[in-house]
Amino acid sequence: MASIVGFPSCFCRDKKWHITTLFENDRHFSHLSTLEREMAFRTEMGLYYSYFKIIIEAPSFWNGVWAIMNDRLTEYPLVINTLQRFNLYPEVVLASWYRIYTAVMDFLGVPTKMCWTVNRGKGLSPVESCEGLGDPASFYVAMIFLLNGLMMSLFFIYGTYLSGSRLGGLVTVACFFFNHGECTRVMWTPPLRESFSYPFLVLQMLLVTYILRIPNINTGSLIALCVSNIFFMLPWQFAQFVLLTQIASLFAVCIMGYIDSCKLQKILAAHMVALLVCFILMFGNSMLLTSYYAASLVIIWGILELSPKVLKSSRREVYVWVIEGCAWLFGTITLKSLTSLVFGIADDAHIGNILKSKFIGYKDFDTLMYTCAAEFDFMEKETPVRYAKTLLLPVVLVVLGVIIKRAIKHVTWSLSQAGQCEREERFNQGELVYHALQLLAYSVLAVLIMRLKLFLTPHLCVMASLVCSKQLFGWLFCKIQPKTLVFAILALMAIEGSANLQTQWNIMGEFSNLPQEELLEWIKVNTRQDAVFAGAMPTMASVKLSTLRPIVNHPHYEDAGLRARTKVVYSMYSRKPAKDVKRELIKLGANYYILEESLCVSRKKPGCSMPEIWDVEDPANSGRVPLCTLMSKDSRPYFFTVFENSNYRVLKIPKE
């Protein structure tokens, strides 16, 4: 019992210490001022943290919640419910905890933070820096790191349960640490949605494994699955695509006869209830009900109901599998298209365009804004090499090969109507076949979009635990002690794995962004509280967070209306006439435009500078000098430069 509790507790503590150390080493976060900490939360991170800040600074918790549900700062002049749009329940929960914590500590007279003056040198003014859970940014980050520490405990339990051995749990955890840079980015970008959401996916997949393994599903298991689905979907808009791959994998497992349709329908029911609850809690977020995930749930349920009646063959023939698979694919696409058409929803249209760009080279402004970013490119060729060096890939390929071999054998038995004994053996393999199919799905996602290797790499670590499975390698364990084999593998993994860890620990830095600090301080002092700003998405998040000025665009790019606004704002980097750009900015209500020369000239790869992106969208003006270049020289007569430093130029937009 001590080991059952002790191992997960140790791994939780070690994981939390590891990511906390990396974060502190990279930014020296504990010695930053409040403004510097806010600037350290760049792009989406700053946008999400701004709502946490609004709630904790409001007169009461409910005043804060009302403020973010009736927000006029984020997409001025629109009033939007940010809880509906931005998956902000983590910020609501953490803000409530922070308010409770500080209230209790104040009542007890216990200090919650320690502050001191930091001399920054180089002629810079000293700043006050506070450390402790009473500091909002420190509390926020600490809770995220705690959650991800608990996730490591879950990985140990997951690997142990899947493999049937605590050695399997140890292998999973060791693989995760040895490949830490490929598994997560929480230590660099804590506020991103995946930091809150992914731990609940680990719990959810553990529950799915349990449900697939037990012969009869109890109500408690389904309720737990439903709750874990809700906790996974609420914080992250991308969760629905991951769950789509899961139910597709489960459907394939059912088609092949590894689980019966009754069990799958109960799992689907838990998914449907969770989806409905999320729809309600997200105030009717239409992207949930018009998603491929929702359409797939309905289509699979319909196939399970109708297939026995329409396809009356008692044998599981290959042609039946093909018919059911095609019915799922075409039915899901058709139903999704119809629901989007009926409800007039185009918020997720960019997802299809991104996929088109991967296969047929499709290009438009919105697609290039994604695909020009490294994280949305194809997986790096070096990634599989790094997997191989830590032996993660070779071990998983061996495990996968054994599962595929057994699956083929059992499918052959199924097609030949094998006896009951053989059927029982096949049914006991269902969770392993599911994990193999899920691995293939994650591999496809990661190859297409590098960012999504955060699903692939941890799942590889879980699959590696099966090297300890007597079910798969019992014949080998008769010849060699499992402990001997496992520790030999871990010793070989540790050669490259320890080097990877040392590389991460050696990363040392200190956050500083003086040009942006100057910009934000200037805005606070020299502009009205209701002055409206437009500019690059990352900068707008910082402006909203640190100055509380209204902005017309922001980094959460998942809404069709916001994408249209951002396109207007980014026309400053096009080759359009200044007069046309000014007219459109005035329509948005902007008073100031923050111009960044780096966006005008930087080029991450061929065709990816902002003027080149605009050449695809606006070929009529191709060949002209980019407007941003003209503005950096002389902004008159259409704009007036009111602030300038090495990185930023603030242009005032005079009314016509």
Side-chain angles (χ1 to χ4, degrees):
M1 177 63 71
S3 63
I4 293 174
V5 176
F7 281 139
S9 300
C10 288
F11 294 138
C12 172
R13 180 197 62 203
D14 292 346
K15 168 70 170 177
K16 184 177 182 296
W17 172 85
H18 180 61
I19 55 182
T20 301
T21 301
L22 294 179
F23 184 69
E24 176 64 19
N25 287 350
D26 181 53
R27 304 188 188 183
H28 211 189
F29 197 72
S30 62
H31 286 65
L32 299 180
S33 67
T34 298
L35 178 59
E36 288 173 321
R37 286 175 180 169
E38 291 178 353
M39 289 192 299
F41 295 143
R42 284 186 53 75
T43 64
E44 287 178 75
M45 297 186 288
L47 182 69
Y48 298 135
Y49 180 74
S50 70
Y51 301 109
F52 171 81
K53 179 181 176 181
I54 287 171
I55 297 175
I56 65 172
E57 292 183 351
S60 71
F61 171 74
W62 293 111
N63 284 138
V65 173
W66 185 92
I68 69 170
M69 290 175 62
N70 298 271
D71 181 277
R72 284 196 68 185
L73 298 180
T74 308
E75 291 182 13
Y76 182 88
L78 303 179
V79 178
I80 62 172
N81 182 348
T82 59
L83 264 182
Q84 180 192 45
R85 287 274 300 279
F86 302 147
N87 303 84
L88 294 178
Y89 276 97
E91 280 66 32
V92 173
V93 172
L94 290 186
S96 68
W97 291 357
Y98 178 82
R99 295 185 72 112
I100 292 170
Y101 169 74
T102 53
V104 171
M105 293 297 104
D106 288 345
F107 177 77
L108 297 175
V110 178
T112 59
K113 60 183 178 181
M114 187 186 314
C115 300
W116 55 83
T117 300
V118 176
N119 188 349
R120 298 189 289 176
K122 299 179 183 178
L124 301 174
S125 59
V127 295
E128 183 182 68
S129 179
C130 297
E131 191 173 11
L133 293 180
D135 176 72
S138 299
F139 179 91
Y140 184 79
V141 170
M143 293 300 104
I144 295 171
F145 289 164
L146 176 60
L147 175 61
N148 282 264
L150 292 171
M151 179 184 72
M152 192 51 61
S153 300
L154 275 176
F155 269 119
F156 175 76
I157 297 169
Y158 192 173
T160 298
Y161 183 72
L162 183 64
S163 65
S165 168
R166 278 176 293 189
L167 289 174
L170 181 62
V171 168
T172 296
V173 172
C175 287
F176 194 99
F177 275 108
F178 291 158
N179 297 273
H180 193 265
E182 306 294 326
C183 285
T184 181
R185 52 181 183 169
V186 65
M187 59 284 191
W188 316 129
T189 55
L192 290 184
R193 301 299 83 185
E194 66 209 45
S195 302
F196 295 102
S197 184
Y198 185 74
F200 294 103
L201 176 63
V202 179
L203 174 62
Q204 194 262 7
M205 291 185 66
L206 174 59
L207 289 169
V208 168
T209 304
Y210 171 75
I211 290 171
L212 292 177
R213 184 170 286 181
I214 60 176
N216 299 307
I217 307 178
N218 54 65
T219 305
S221 301
L222 291 175
I223 292 174
L225 178 63
C226 180
V227 171
S228 63
N229 272 15
I230 293 170
F231 277 58
F232 174 50
M233 279 193 285
L234 270 184
W236 196 13
Q237 68 274 13
F238 190 79
Q240 55 179 291
F241 297 100
V242 178
L243 293 177
L244 170 64
T245 68
Q246 181 179 97
I247 60 171
S249 300
L250 290 171
F251 183 50
V253 170
C254 179
I255 285 177
M256 292 187 288
Y258 286 95
I259 59 172
D260 58 69
S261 59
C262 180
K263 175 178 282 192
L264 180 56
Q265 283 185 307
K266 290 179 180 179
I267 294 173
L268 292 178
H271 276 261
M272 289 176 175
V273 171
L275 182 64
L276 182 60
V277 170
C278 287
F279 177 74
I280 294 170
L281 291 177
M282 293 287 288
F283 300 91
N285 187 315
S286 54
M287 278 186 67
L288 291 174
L289 291 190
T290 60
S291 64
Y292 286 103
Y293 168 56
S296 187
L297 287 172
V298 174
I299 294 299
I300 292 176
W301 187 282
I303 291 172
L304 295 177
E305 287 289 332
L306 296 176
S307 183
K309 302 172 184 176
V310 177
L311 304 172
K312 297 184 178 180
S313 172
S314 60
R315 297 176 58 181
R316 301 299 297 172
E317 301 285 2
V318 173
Y319 80 88
V320 176
W321 300 358
V322 173
I323 292 174
E324 290 178 339
C326 291
W328 166 76
L329 179 62
F330 293 113
T332 298
I333 295 173
T334 302
L335 182 58
K336 188 268 185 285
S337 301
L338 288 174
T339 53
S340 296
L341 186 64
V342 169
F343 291 100
I345 303 301
D347 292 339
D348 57 355
H350 63 296
I351 301 295
N353 290 338
I354 291 173
L355 293 177
K356 282 164 62 178
S357 75
K358 299 290 182 179
F359 296 112
I360 62 174
Y362 174 81
K363 292 181 181 180
D364 65 13
F365 180 86
D366 294 326
T367 303
L368 287 170
M369 290 291 284
Y370 278 102
T371 57
C372 282
E375 58 266 31
F376 283 92
D377 205 347
F378 288 102
M379 178 191 284
E380 300 169 308
K381 295 177 182 177
E382 294 81 6
T383 299
V385 175
R386 289 194 284 266
Y387 291 156
K389 285 182 177 179
T390 58
L391 296 187
L392 177 61
L393 187 59
V395 167
V396 173
L397 287 177
V398 170
V399 169
L400 190 62
V402 173
I403 293 175
I404 291 174
K405 179 181 176 182
R406 293 199 171 195
I408 292 173
K409 179 181 178 182
H410 294 148
V411 166
T412 304
W413 283 342
S414 174
L415 294 175
S416 62
Q417 290 186 308
Q420 182 65 27
C421 178
E422 293 169 330
R423 285 184 179 277
E424 288 299 324
E425 184 180 359
R426 184 180 70 251
F427 278 112
N428 290 336
Q429 304 285 322
E431 72 276 9
L432 301 185
V433 177
Y434 158 68
H435 278 83
L437 291 172
Q438 189 69 73
L439 177 62
L440 295 176
Y442 286 160
S443 299
V444 171
L445 290 178
V447 168
L448 291 176
I449 300 175
M450 184 184 69
R451 175 184 180 182
L452 301 184
K453 67 181 178 182
L454 73 93
F455 296 111
L456 171 62
T457 315
H459 196 66
L460 287 170
C461 298
V462 172
M463 292 292 288
S465 71
L466 290 170
V467 76
C468 307
S469 171
K470 292 181 180 178
Q471 197 175 18
L472 294 179
F473 296 100
W475 55 273
L476 180 60
F477 296 155
C478 294
K479 303 174 183 178
I480 184 173
Q481 282 289 329
K483 291 182 180 179
T484 304
L485 176 64
V486 169
F487 285 114
I489 292 173
L490 289 178
L492 292 172
M493 286 181 166
I495 297 172
E496 184 69 20
S498 59
N500 290 344
L501 287 172
Q502 193 60 54
T503 299
Q504 287 198 320
W505 290 329
N506 288 340
I507 296 174
M508 292 290 174
E510 183 168 357
F511 178 83
S512 179
N513 191 342
L514 293 177
Q516 188 172 90
E517 184 176 338
E518 291 174 358
L519 169 70
L520 297 176
E521 292 290 4
W522 181 88
I523 291 173
K524 289 180 183 179
V525 174
N526 295 281
T527 65
R528 293 163 51 96
Q529 190 64 41
D530 60 354
V532 183
F533 284 80
M537 291 183 284
T539 305
M540 288 302 97
S542 295
V543 169
K544 179 189 180 299
L545 168 60
S546 299
T547 71
L548 295 179
R549 299 301 194 267
I551 57 176
V552 300
N553 63 306
H554 53 78
H556 197 278
Y557 209 55
E558 311 304 318
D559 177 75
L562 188 276
R563 290 197 293 273
R565 285 172 154 254
T566 299
K567 191 172 175 181
V568 170
V569 170
Y570 274 64
S571 63
M572 183 66 76
Y573 301 96
S574 72
R575 306 178 195 272
K576 294 177 181 289
K579 183 179 181 180
D580 295 349
V581 172
K582 175 188 174 182
R583 183 174 60 250
E584 295 302 316
L585 289 173
I586 289 176
K587 286 181 182 179
L588 290 180
N591 303 125
Y592 295 92
Y593 191 97
I594 300 177
L595 180 69
E596 299 177 44
E597 189 176 353
S598 59
L599 283 179
C600 197
V601 298
S602 64
R603 191 183 191 215
K604 298 173 184 175
K605 57 184 180 180
C608 281
S609 70
M610 285 307 307
E612 288 174 321
I613 291 175
W614 268 105
D615 286 343
V616 173
E617 188 69 24
D618 182 30
N621 286 304
S622 180
R624 298 181 58 177
V625 178
L627 179 59
C628 51
T629 301
L630 298 175
M631 291 296 104
S632 64
K633 295 176 181 177
D634 186 2
S635 60
R636 296 172 297 178
Y638 298 104
F639 303 91
F640 299 114
T641 301
V642 291
F643 171 84
E644 183 179 0
N645 65 16
S646 58
N647 286 12
Y648 302 97
R649 180 186 292 256
V650 178
L651 307 178
K652 187 169 185 179
I653 308 172
K655 300 298 182 183
E656 292 181 334

